[in-house]
Amino acid sequence: MATVSLTPQAVFSTESGGALASATILRFPPNFVRQLSTKARRNCSNIGVAQIVAAAWSDCPTARPHSGGGGGRARGVASSHAAAASAAAAAASAAAEVSAIPNAKVAQPSAVVLAERNLLGSDASLSVHAGERLGRRIATDAITTPVVNTSAYWFNNSQELIDFKEGRHASFEYGRYGNPTTEALEKKMSALERAESTVFVASGMYAAVAMLSALVPAGGHIVTTTDCYRKTRIYMETELPKRGISMTVIRPADMDALQNALDNNNVSLFFTETPTNPFLRCIDVEHVSNMCHSKGALLCIDSTFASPINQKALTLGADLVIHSATKYIAGHNDVIGGCVSGRDELVSKVRTYHHVVGGVLNPNAAYLILRGMKTLHLRVQCQNNTALRMAQFLEEHPKIARVYYPGLPSHPEHHIAKSQMTGFGGVVSFEVAGDFDGTRRFIDSVKIPYHAPSFGGCESIIDQPAIMSYWDSKEQRDIYGIKDNLIRFSIGVEDFEDLKNDLVQALEKI
């Protein structure tokens, strides 16, 4: 069952003169909307506007007259800006009437999407404007997309509800099935990843669970890699066997092992990170996608360490891309979320599963991620530059035994990273020339980075995986090469010299 989002448009009652007029149920004084919007922006940011005009739509083919003797209600408010009017006009010409409900058919790109593609030619512009500048659901003169804090959406009458159920009326129904704020976020991510569709959910881990649950059949077989987020591996090892799903685990660069798994199993999916966690190994996405597709298997890339600024796996042949939006996407260490992007044929199956099971992204979290994404390209470019300089510095330092960073020629997949990434990311992993206790002293001596899990935010974060992620299992540390002296350093947006000097003084404690 496919779920396709539209950008509905505001609907108004019309008088004989063709002018827009208020519905009979809600009669506002002249210029009320603009006064309300201005006052709300000044006093309540954009949340006040959102709560009052939450049901304002912007993408129906025509203004729908209200039923019941000219009565009805105003489903939205009009922006008087010429830009908003032209956007609504473009949206009105879209291939609309496909709603965000199960059983909806896949729509061709709307006029809004096509106009956005022509207008926004770079990731920098897409990060700021995609999903918001043209055709967003909420009709308001606020620059920022409002937070729509509602759990349900109401219908004018039974016929409108029937039209919605049968795909002739574009709206929402219940908060678990969609939200205008979240929809704007999904459109922005789709634009950045060059995806047909994106679904946002409550966390990156849930994005992986929903994807696997929706796309891998009972009794299926998956392939994954040794180097990955540990909780993903734990889920695969403990939960998937309950559905009769078996698994082959290979080393990231072992293409012979992948080919062997594809040849000897009915593989449903190859799921891998690139770069991986924590050793930043890189998989040749184009090559692997050809291998998988020749055997009828899907390829899903967890691109969290890359971000869509550094890597676009879908354009290289991947079927799906997953992100923990908690990391680079939101970028401020203040919100948790995740997403799945890809072909609508596949994402719609994940969305349908998500509608049933839950795991909904709160609209306030969606707003925070939207806000964070406006600086995504700036943050990632800064982190790329600082991390590369830091990796080069650390590789030459006498108290560093080894550095893992795909931007270094010494990295085993440096050639792959150069061919499919435009930047190498903001995480540098390295091993200090010391034992467990010496590494602890180093960690405890840094002053700028926070000693914490996670990565990708404005603030630098550092951790010792032997403690942070693998403290409960020395056996697993040995299996997956997590040495006592391994450090994972997530570079923030601080000054390089400040960070370098801080590491230098901490290394003296080893």
Side-chain angles (χ1 to χ4, degrees):
M1 294 187 292
T3 303
V4 181
S5 298
L6 282 184
T7 314
Q9 108 175 340
V11 179
F12 306 89
S13 297
T14 58
E15 301 293 348
S16 58
L20 297 178
S22 299
T24 55
I25 292 180
L26 300 175
R27 294 190 180 277
F28 302 124
N31 209 28
F32 172 78
V33 171
R34 179 164 294 284
Q35 295 170 7
L36 174 63
S37 299
T38 302
K39 190 175 184 65
R41 285 200 307 274
R42 289 174 179 169
N43 298 333
C44 312
S45 183
N46 53 17
I47 296 177
V49 180
Q51 292 173 331
I52 296 171
V53 299
W57 309 130
S58 62
D59 198 28
C60 291
T62 58
R64 176 181 54 80
H66 294 284
S67 58
R73 63 174 182 189
R75 293 299 296 262
V77 291
S79 168
S80 62
H81 289 309
S86 62
S93 66
E97 293 303 334
V98 182
S99 57
I101 55 172
N103 298 320
K105 294 181 179 179
V106 177
Q108 296 299 313
S110 70
V112 170
V113 172
L114 294 175
E116 192 173 69
R117 288 177 184 173
N118 292 330
L119 181 65
L120 308 174
S122 69
D123 283 348
S125 297
L126 290 170
S127 296
V128 177
H129 291 298
E132 300 184 88
R133 187 68 176 92
L134 299 177
R136 61 183 171 193
R137 292 231 182 196
I138 308 160
T140 171
D141 56 2
I143 291 176
T144 54
T145 296
V147 184
V148 180
N149 280 317
T150 186
S151 59
Y153 306 82
W154 60 284
F155 294 87
N156 194 51
N157 50 46
S158 296
Q159 186 57 52
E160 184 175 280
L161 176 57
I162 292 171
D163 289 343
F164 168 76
K165 292 291 186 180
E166 295 183 354
R168 294 184 298 273
H169 172 63
S171 182
F172 294 94
E173 178 183 2
Y174 186 59
R176 196 167 79 245
Y177 309 145
N179 176 280
T181 309
T182 305
E183 183 187 60
L185 174 61
E186 291 173 343
K187 289 180 178 179
K188 190 182 292 290
M189 179 57 72
S190 290
L192 282 169
E193 281 289 10
R194 310 299 192 263
E196 290 180 4
S197 183
T198 295
V199 58
F200 260 85
V201 295
S203 71
M205 186 66 228
Y206 175 71
V209 169
M211 182 277 300
L212 290 167
S213 299
L215 298 179
V216 181
H221 190 92
I222 67 169
V223 180
T224 191
T225 58
T226 53
D227 196 29
C228 68
Y229 177 52
R230 188 185 177 203
K231 293 300 190 295
T232 305
R233 184 168 56 242
I234 289 174
Y235 173 79
M236 292 177 177
E237 292 173 344
T238 60
E239 297 301 319
L240 292 184
K242 297 175 183 177
R243 295 172 48 204
I245 297 173
S246 54
M247 178 172 64
T248 297
V249 182
I250 66 172
R251 297 193 179 280
D254 194 343
M255 294 298 97
D256 290 338
L258 175 59
Q259 189 63 60
N260 185 64
L262 291 168
D263 290 342
N264 293 288
N265 301 278
N266 184 19
V267 177
S268 303
L269 177 81
F270 178 31
F271 179 38
T272 180
E273 301 170 7
T274 184
T276 62
N277 180 20
F279 294 112
L280 306 169
R281 303 298 298 270
C282 295
I283 284 82
D284 186 333
V285 177
E286 184 174 8
H287 178 59
V288 166
S289 68
N290 290 333
M291 294 175 65
C292 291
H293 295 159
S294 69
K295 295 293 184 177
L298 296 173
L299 173 62
C300 180
I301 298 294
D302 185 331
S303 198
T304 300
F305 271 78
S307 88
I309 302 300
N310 285 335
Q311 177 177 275
K312 300 188 191 302
L314 296 176
T315 68
L316 299 171
D319 300 290
L320 294 161
V321 170
I322 280 182
H323 287 278
S324 170
T326 311
K327 313 303 191 296
Y328 290 106
I329 305 301
H332 289 76
N333 292 316
D334 60 359
V335 62
I336 292 177
C339 63
V340 182
S341 300
R343 301 202 313 272
D344 187 77
E345 167 196 357
L346 299 173
V347 175
S348 63
K349 294 178 181 179
V350 180
R351 195 186 303 272
T352 298
Y353 174 87
H354 165 61
H355 287 176
V356 173
V357 176
V360 181
L361 184 72
N362 184 279
N364 294 280
Y367 172 79
L368 286 174
I369 299 172
L370 266 174
R371 184 183 64 174
M373 288 183 73
K374 293 181 189 297
T375 59
L376 176 62
H377 62 294
L378 299 173
R379 291 185 282 102
V380 169
Q381 288 168 8
C382 174
Q383 289 162 314
N384 286 342
N385 293 335
T386 304
L388 179 57
R389 293 178 66 187
M390 188 64 70
Q392 293 168 337
F393 162 74
L394 289 171
E395 195 169 45
E396 299 297 323
H397 197 283
K399 290 193 175 181
I400 300 299
R402 184 171 181 180
V403 179
Y404 303 90
Y405 187 69
L408 295 175
S410 59
H411 189 279
E413 287 87 44
H414 177 61
H415 62 292
I416 294 175
K418 283 201 307 181
S419 69
Q420 68 185 26
M421 300 178 72
T422 56
F424 302 113
V427 175
V428 180
S429 293
F430 57 94
E431 294 166 0
V432 300
D435 57 10
F436 180 80
D437 290 331
T439 307
R440 284 180 57 189
R441 287 196 300 274
F442 166 75
I443 284 280
D444 293 343
S445 298
V446 296
K447 305 299 182 184
I448 297 177
Y450 287 94
H451 188 187
S454 198
F455 60 91
C458 290
E459 299 88 357
S460 290
I461 286 177
I462 198 165
D463 76 87
Q464 186 176 0
I467 299 177
M468 185 67 72
S469 303
Y470 287 86
W471 183 246
D472 61 333
S473 177
K474 178 66 166 63
E475 179 184 0
Q476 290 235 323
R477 277 184 258 164
D478 293 338
I479 291 174
Y480 297 111
I482 307 297
K483 297 181 181 179
D484 290 344
N485 62 343
L486 178 66
I487 298 291
R488 192 182 73 174
F489 185 18
S490 170
I491 308 291
V493 297
E494 303 95 342
D495 179 75
F496 167 74
E497 292 295 335
D498 290 340
L499 291 173
K500 184 190 77 171
N501 292 336
D502 188 27
L503 291 195
V504 168
Q505 65 83 23
L507 286 168
E508 293 174 355
K509 307 298 192 299
I510 297 177

